Amino acid sequence: MTTDILAQAREQVLEQGIGLTQEQTLAVLQLPDESIPDILALAHEVRMRWCGPEVEVEGIVSLKTGGCPEDCHFCSQSGLFSSPVRSVWLDIPTLVDAALQTAASGASEFCIVAAVRGPDDRLMKQLREGVKAIKAAVDINVAASLGILTPQQVEDLVDMGIHRYNHNLETSRSFFPKVVTTHTWEERMVTLELVRDSGMEVCCGGIVGLGESDEQRAEFAAQLASLSPHEVPLNFLNPRPGTPFADVPLMEANEALKTIGAFRLALPKTILRFAGGREITLGDLGTREGLLGGINAVIVGNYLTTLGRPVTSDLDLLSELKMPVKALSDSL
Ligand code: SF4
């Protein structure tokens, strides 16, 4: 079985650049743990062949933290749970300072995030001023993640010069109602289609280890692939106190590694980004294994509500692995 599906993947994904189907992704996810080195080695070859050795580095900053009206059960920024994250707004000088620090770390991407269902006029105005100030101060690509958008807001973001928009599907369509009840998977998809049609790059991923089955994980990979996103951020659940998923057990490291490899084989040409939860799920060793198993982008520094690894330890690891940081000029 191992040889069957991995031999098929070698021919189809590595040689032809055609991602695994849902059924094939499931077959990889269900391989025994002994196959993990082979899965990761193939995923790494695929990443090197179709994306190259460069690693895209991104910093994120939260323009508005906490107090979100939605109920995504993994998220400590929801105002509906007893999570210890309070609602905070960032001012423009702090935003510019964060962009400067991100650029100084060598990152080419700076993503401005807000914990909202979708932006209101106040947020759009603040974003416009913030992006203008950042662009005047530093050379860096500015991305945004502001939830569900109207067609007019999509146009406004294009006008501001936002080059990539993040909106995660979070999980498979079939599992979504167990994770979020205040909006639907389909509503998220409508925003993603608007973004894709606008010409902005689509960044769409999600979070694994929520209690979804292998079948649902494979379904999720296929649904992401159908969007042809430019980037897929992959988060691993880091159960936050006070959220409905506080007691969900951590994903096993082996399962996380298999997921990384399988997602790379389903999405051979996409930027696959290590996002939140990798430290707690995989530790330092896992970060290395992920980068040698299909991952080609990282978020440096802190995440929105949890601490990440120090920037320098990520950059040191990339230099040790001889993976160059993608330069800004390459990504424009
Ligand atoms: S994931 Fe986003 S939309 Fe969901 S509760 Fe958190 S901040 Fe709100």
Side-chain angles (χ1 to χ4, degrees):
M1 181 64 188
T2 301
T3 38
D4 282 2
I5 183 63
L6 293 185
Q8 250 179 51
R10 177 166 290 279
E11 172 53 30
Q12 172 185 325
V13 188
L14 182 63
E15 299 305 330
Q16 300 175 51
I18 301 170
L20 295 185
T21 62
Q22 184 171 332
E23 292 68 30
Q24 290 173 317
T25 305
L26 179 60
V28 173
L29 289 171
Q30 292 187 328
L31 287 172
D33 285 357
E34 302 83 79
S35 305
I36 291 173
D38 293 338
I39 300 171
L40 294 180
L42 179 58
H44 184 58
E45 276 188 78
V46 166
R47 168 267 172 118
M48 295 299 267
R49 168 84 59 95
W50 294 101
C51 303
E54 292 184 322
V55 173
E56 193 184 84
V57 175
E58 177 183 70
I60 52 178
V61 71
S62 181
L63 184 56
K64 188 240 165 193
T65 307
C68 179
E70 303 305 293
D71 77 342
C72 309
H73 291 11
F74 53 82
C75 182
S76 56
Q77 300 206 62
S78 170
L80 302 176
F81 314 141
S82 58
S83 329
V85 176
R86 296 276 156 267
S87 186
V88 180
W89 282 82
L90 213 62
D91 59 36
I92 306 281
T94 314
L95 192 65
V96 173
D97 199 42
L100 284 164
Q101 282 181 33
T102 300
S105 76
S108 58
E109 299 289 317
F110 181 66
C111 185
I112 302 171
V113 177
V116 290
R117 176 187 172 85
D120 58 11
D121 289 350
R122 174 187 175 196
L123 180 57
M124 290 298 282
K125 184 166 170 285
Q126 189 144 3
L127 185 74
R128 186 176 283 279
E129 284 168 20
V131 173
K132 198 169 157 207
I134 290 168
K135 286 187 179 281
V138 57
D139 219 4
I140 196 161
N141 285 324
V142 183
S145 180
L146 315 169
I148 295 168
L149 300 174
T150 64
Q152 181 59 51
Q153 288 169 336
V154 171
E155 269 183 44
D156 290 347
L157 293 179
V158 172
D159 184 55
M160 287 176 211
I162 299 290
H163 88 119
R164 186 181 296 173
Y165 192 76
N166 163 263
H167 194 47
N168 289 340
L169 284 171
E170 305 300 10
T171 189
S172 66
R173 186 178 191 161
S174 68
F175 193 62
F176 193 87
K178 295 254 185 314
V179 181
V180 185
T181 66
T182 46
H183 60 268
T184 62
W185 191 92
E186 289 74 12
E187 281 176 279
R188 287 187 177 240
M189 192 50 114
V190 170
T191 290
L192 286 162
E193 283 164 355
L194 286 172
V195 170
R196 185 179 57 190
D197 296 347
S198 77
M200 275 188 285
E201 290 180 0
V202 173
C203 169
C204 176
I207 180 161
V208 292
L210 304 175
E212 73 280 1
S213 64
D214 282 348
E215 285 76 6
Q216 285 165 324
R217 220 168 272 163
E219 178 196 341
F220 181 38
Q223 286 161 342
L224 289 173
S226 74
L227 262 173
S228 303
H230 196 84
E231 171 187 342
V232 170
L234 198 54
N235 294 274
F236 302 90
L237 179 68
N238 178 355
R240 306 313 300 152
T243 63
F245 286 172
D247 297 325
V248 172
L250 267 187
M251 195 173 181
E252 300 276 334
N254 277 348
E255 216 184 323
L257 290 173
K258 240 187 267 181
T259 303
I260 291 167
F263 272 54
R264 169 52 75 201
L265 297 176
L267 295 149
K269 299 175 181 173
T270 301
I271 296 173
L272 189 57
R273 188 180 300 279
F274 250 150
R278 70 174 148 133
E279 295 82 3
I280 186 166
T281 307
L282 291 165
D284 281 358
L285 196 60
T287 300
R288 178 186 297 266
E289 284 175 309
L291 284 164
L292 291 171
I295 294 285
N296 65 336
V298 291
I299 291 176
V300 288
N302 297 336
Y303 305 118
L304 298 174
T305 59
T306 56
L307 294 177
R309 290 147 45 91
V311 172
T312 47
S313 65
D314 278 325
L315 299 180
D316 289 350
L317 180 59
L318 294 182
S319 110
E320 186 200 320
L321 296 176
K322 302 204 168 24
M323 292 182 183
V325 173
K326 187 173 179 183
L328 183 62
S329 54
D330 297 345
S331 55
L332 288 176

